[in-house]
Amino acid sequence: MKSSAVPNFFKLSINERIAILKEFLDLTEEETLILKNLCTLGFKELTAIGENPVSNYELPLRIANYFKINGTDYFIPMVVEEASVVAGACYGAKLCYERGIESSIVKQSNYAKAIGQIQLINIKNPLEAERKILENKNRLLEKANEGHRFSRAYNIKTRVFESEHGKSMTVNIYIDPGDAMGAAVASAMAETVAKEISKMTGIAYNSCIISNFSGRHVKAKAEVPVERLARKSVSGKKWRGEEVRDGIVWLSIWAENDVYRAVTHNKGIMNGVDAVAVATGQDWRAIESANHAFAAKNGTYKPLSRWRSEGDYMVGELEMLIPCGIVGGEIKKIPKAEFVLRKILRVKSADQLAEIMAAVGLAQNLAALSMLATIGLKEGHEPHRKIK
Ligand code: MEV
């Protein structure tokens, strides 16, 4: 029987790996060319990506236009298989263009840009342990910050848990990771602090890791002139701006009251956010995970955005967590991500990137709701230009 248990598969060259696949899967010579010839990265770049590459995987890099965010115009790079996502982003951004989309990092947020967690286990006297840790908070923070020039740990909090297995404690280290996403720094700082706590208290630690319930806390807002919302279907059916606005507000109310709808509403937001995240080499799973928790932060899963009527405008507000970075991570290993960040988006900070992603999420959401309130999904998913 053929087996996938190939020892040291990771040590093989790209061609050797392809040869093994060819044999295992009975691929023809032509079929292996899909891996070889459609690979647009050179051998060196592909190898540098690390761990078992056999080719690279091309998704379209699309550009959304009409984005005005905090007074600046952007062409937004989006990597996503679905054409209608980018068509939607452009449509939503165009509706918002008059006043632009305001997007800013929440100052004084309760959410940390990154959190490092430590699990202490088998604790006999948790109160005593907590007291020691909190009394030595500043010293532990100093230790955490040693050797880190661009990131800063600024707070420590503890929580005790009882289980049938014994008592344990979580230590959360609140970190500003500068322009990095913060996963590596959060784990590194947690390990340093865990060792110090163990020395100080004699308590063992089981594990150290980032908490993905963290990220840049962003709020985005758009004010759309109601008359701009008017639209027409291919068959000629027309909706007045007020009708579309009311449809969108009703959809927002639906999402606020029904988890089944709220999840789909948020999926529409993530369509835009994830596409920018992939284009810029971000860990989009971290962004997804952070917002699973953020959407349910008050105990019930809620939409990340809300739309209401205000006089001649319809106002949309979105709030979410965006763990992202413009240095470190995998960005440097993916040449196009680096190009997209520096040359197309020209972002100067990770905060700016988070603000852009939230603005795209809001525009994407607006486009989806406008479509649902009018032409419906089938027509909305028709590409603008069919290939001739
Ligand atoms: C489809 O990818 C996204 C939508 O379902 C979002 C929504 O329903 O709000 C259209």
Side-chain angles (χ1 to χ4, degrees):
M1 204 176 73
K2 290 178 181 177
S3 164
S4 71
V6 182
N8 293 323
F9 192 63
F10 71 98
K11 283 190 184 161
L12 302 180
S13 72
I14 291 166
N15 281 335
E16 284 167 334
R17 256 180 241 130
I18 292 178
I20 288 177
L21 286 185
K22 182 170 185 280
E23 224 271 305
F24 184 90
L25 302 165
D26 296 322
L27 298 178
T28 63
E29 200 53 50
E30 289 72 51
E31 282 167 336
T32 66
L33 292 182
I34 293 188
L35 296 175
K36 288 183 186 168
N37 290 1
L38 291 184
C39 182
T40 53
L41 285 184
F43 186 85
K44 214 171 117 220
E45 290 99 337
L46 202 57
T47 309
I49 279 172
E51 217 60 26
N52 300 1
V54 289
S55 186
N56 66 334
Y57 192 99
E58 282 289 279
L59 284 170
L61 168 58
R62 308 169 191 268
I63 300 289
N65 63 342
Y66 279 108
F67 272 90
K68 191 191 281 171
I69 305 168
N70 297 333
T72 300
D73 272 52
Y74 291 90
F75 280 116
I76 303 287
M78 301 176 83
V79 169
V80 58
E81 76 292 349
E82 207 181 320
S84 65
V85 167
V86 179
C90 299
Y91 184 76
K94 193 172 175 183
L95 293 179
C96 300
Y97 193 77
E98 184 190 284
R99 292 196 169 177
I101 303 174
E102 295 298 320
S103 185
S104 56
I105 299 290
V106 177
K107 311 271 182 289
Q108 314 289 331
S109 168
N110 289 331
Y111 298 91
K113 291 180 181 174
I115 292 178
Q117 291 202 291
I118 305 162
Q119 186 192 32
L120 302 171
I121 53 169
N122 294 324
I123 308 174
K124 301 247 159 19
N125 187 341
L127 283 181
E128 173 65 12
E130 254 187 329
R131 191 185 56 75
K132 266 200 187 151
I133 293 167
L134 297 177
E135 263 176 21
N136 286 283
K137 193 194 250 187
N138 289 341
R139 195 168 69 75
L140 290 171
L141 286 172
E142 264 169 39
K143 271 275 166 205
N145 285 325
E146 265 173 23
H148 293 281
R149 274 171 63 208
F150 303 109
S151 306
R152 190 178 67 86
Y154 58 88
N155 200 7
I156 288 179
K157 289 187 186 172
T158 54
R159 279 174 75 196
V160 174
F161 302 97
E162 294 210 18
S163 74
E164 70 289 353
H165 221 61
K167 289 176 188 155
S168 63
M169 189 196 295
T170 296
V171 181
N172 280 4
I173 306 162
Y174 291 70
I175 301 161
D176 180 345
D179 276 328
M181 182 266 199
V185 85
S187 290
M189 285 184 173
E191 272 176 32
T192 307
V193 173
K195 283 183 192 139
E196 281 303 304
I197 293 178
S198 272
K199 259 197 262 166
M200 204 165 76
T201 60
I203 299 171
Y205 66 91
N206 189 39
S207 220
C208 300
I209 185 68
I210 186 173
S211 164
N212 283 115
F213 191 9
S214 61
R216 293 166 206 273
H217 186 185
V218 204
K219 282 188 183 177
K221 183 174 179 182
E223 295 172 335
V224 188
V226 171
E227 82 267 10
R228 291 234 47 176
L229 290 167
R231 70 189 291 179
K232 202 165 89 186
S233 73
V234 172
S235 64
K237 183 167 165 36
K238 287 187 181 153
W239 289 265
R240 286 181 297 110
E242 289 80 6
E243 287 175 303
V244 183
R245 174 202 61 203
D246 288 346
I248 291 176
V249 170
W250 278 120
L251 278 160
S252 185
I253 290 169
W254 182 9
E256 286 154 38
N257 290 286
D258 173 13
V259 64
Y260 288 91
R261 175 60 205 151
V263 174
T264 323
H265 178 106
N266 287 345
K267 194 272 182 177
I269 294 171
M270 300 315 295
N271 272 346
V273 174
D274 283 348
V276 181
V278 178
T280 55
Q282 306 300 314
D283 178 348
W284 77 95
R285 288 87 58 213
I287 303 176
E288 288 280 343
S289 312
N291 288 289
H292 296 160
F294 192 73
K297 61 187 183 302
N298 298 322
T300 315
Y301 187 96
K302 291 285 177 188
L304 298 168
S305 72
R306 185 177 189 271
W307 293 91
R308 287 294 184 271
S309 163
E310 280 186 21
D312 293 338
Y313 286 83
M314 186 184 70
V315 180
E317 287 175 297
L318 171 142
E319 193 179 343
M320 65 189 298
L321 293 180
I322 310 233
C324 66
I326 61 165
V327 293
E330 302 299 309
I331 300 164
K332 277 227 146 39
K333 292 188 195 154
I334 306 166
K336 246 176 222 162
E338 184 81 4
F339 173 80
V340 161
L341 267 178
R342 316 274 172 225
K343 297 289 177 183
I344 302 186
L345 271 185
R346 300 190 289 188
V347 283
K348 299 281 180 291
S349 69
D351 282 354
Q352 188 190 359
L353 177 60
E355 288 167 355
I356 291 171
M357 285 202 241
V360 175
L362 187 61
Q364 195 77 55
N365 176 228
L366 171 60
L369 300 189
S370 159
M371 168 192 73
L372 294 176
T374 57
I375 57 176
L377 191 86
K378 190 166 173 292
E379 183 175 320
H381 275 45
E382 286 289 313
H384 275 150
R385 312 205 193 310
K386 297 221 172 76
I387 302 162
K388 297 224 169 76

